[in-house]
């Protein structure tokens, strides 16, 4: 897998553990249907958004207050020629105290600019990470409807 991917970072006035807990509360910041446990090492969960996106993530690393890693073990994106573009990619969240704030660094390793879905998927991640997740961490409020809904 290429080391390229999509990354974004934000900082909040919350503790690293509060950010970590919000990341693992996937239902609290994603729209769509989620099945399975999203906060236990070794577990798998699926995500479906209408008939556009299906993916299954395996939780491969959980370090409380510091790091979450998901491996995409299966994916089907109906809006691109290769619906399996996400399969085998890795989604990481690194959480760290930076001065008086907590920094959340997100990366979708393997979501490369060469992928047909790169632009639309990067925009979607931008909404979910910088909007929905950040909102959950700072206000404890769930997601708003994505702009493409």
């Amino acid at each position: 897998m290429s080391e390229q991917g999509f990354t974004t970072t934000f900082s909040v006035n919350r503790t690293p553990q509060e950010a970590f807990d919000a990341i693992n509360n996937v239902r609290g910041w994603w729209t769509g249907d989620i099945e399975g446990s999203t906060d236990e090492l070794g577990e798998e969960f699926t995500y479906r958004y209408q008939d556009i996106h299906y993916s299954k993530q395996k939780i491969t690393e959980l370090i409380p207050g510091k790091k979450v890693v998901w491996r995409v073990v299966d994916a089907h994106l109906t809006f691109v020629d290769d619906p399996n573009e996400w399969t085998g990619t890795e989604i990481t969240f690194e959480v760290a105290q930076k001065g008086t704030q907590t920094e959340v660094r997100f990366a979708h390793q393997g979501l490369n600019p060469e992928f047909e879905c790169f632009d639309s998927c990067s925009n979607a991640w931008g909404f979910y990470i910088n909007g929905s997740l950040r909102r959950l961490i700072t206000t404890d409020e769930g997601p708003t409807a994505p702009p493409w809904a």
Side-chain angles (χ1 to χ4, degrees):
M1 175 175 55
S2 170
E3 288 302 311
Q4 290 183 337
F6 172 76
T7 62
T8 188
T9 304
F10 66 84
S11 296
V12 291
N13 289 318
R14 294 290 189 261
T15 67
Q17 190 61 47
E18 287 172 316
F20 178 84
D21 291 344
I23 292 164
N24 289 303
N25 177 12
V26 177
R27 289 171 183 85
W29 58 279
W30 279 12
T31 57
D33 299 319
I34 298 166
E35 293 183 17
S37 175
T38 62
D39 61 356
E40 293 182 39
L41 185 62
E43 291 294 316
E44 293 182 346
F45 67 95
T46 61
Y47 170 74
R48 289 180 197 275
Y49 184 78
Q50 299 175 355
D51 65 347
I52 298 169
H53 178 116
Y54 163 83
S55 61
K56 180 188 281 188
Q57 289 71 221
K58 181 179 179 92
I59 303 166
T60 59
E61 192 171 351
L62 278 179
I63 303 173
K66 295 186 179 191
K67 190 171 186 180
V68 177
V69 180
W70 305 331
R71 178 93 170 154
V72 180
V73 296
D74 190 21
H76 188 83
L77 310 176
T78 62
F79 57 94
V80 293
D81 289 336
D82 178 3
N84 299 307
E85 283 185 343
W86 278 33
T87 302
T89 62
E90 196 168 79
I91 298 165
T92 64
F93 301 84
E94 294 176 315
V95 180
Q97 190 74 41
K98 300 284 185 176
T100 61
Q101 296 203 314
T102 294
E103 180 181 270
V104 177
R105 178 173 163 69
F106 169 86
H108 189 159
Q109 298 291 42
L111 178 61
N112 298 322
E114 299 82 30
F115 281 9
E116 185 180 354
C117 83
F118 183 80
D119 289 338
S120 58
C121 291
S122 295
N123 287 336
W125 276 129
F127 167 79
Y128 282 115
I129 301 301
N130 296 312
S132 194
L133 176 59
R134 184 179 192 152
R135 175 186 160 133
L136 181 63
I137 295 168
T138 59
T139 68
D140 204 31
E141 293 179 14
T144 58
W148 57 86

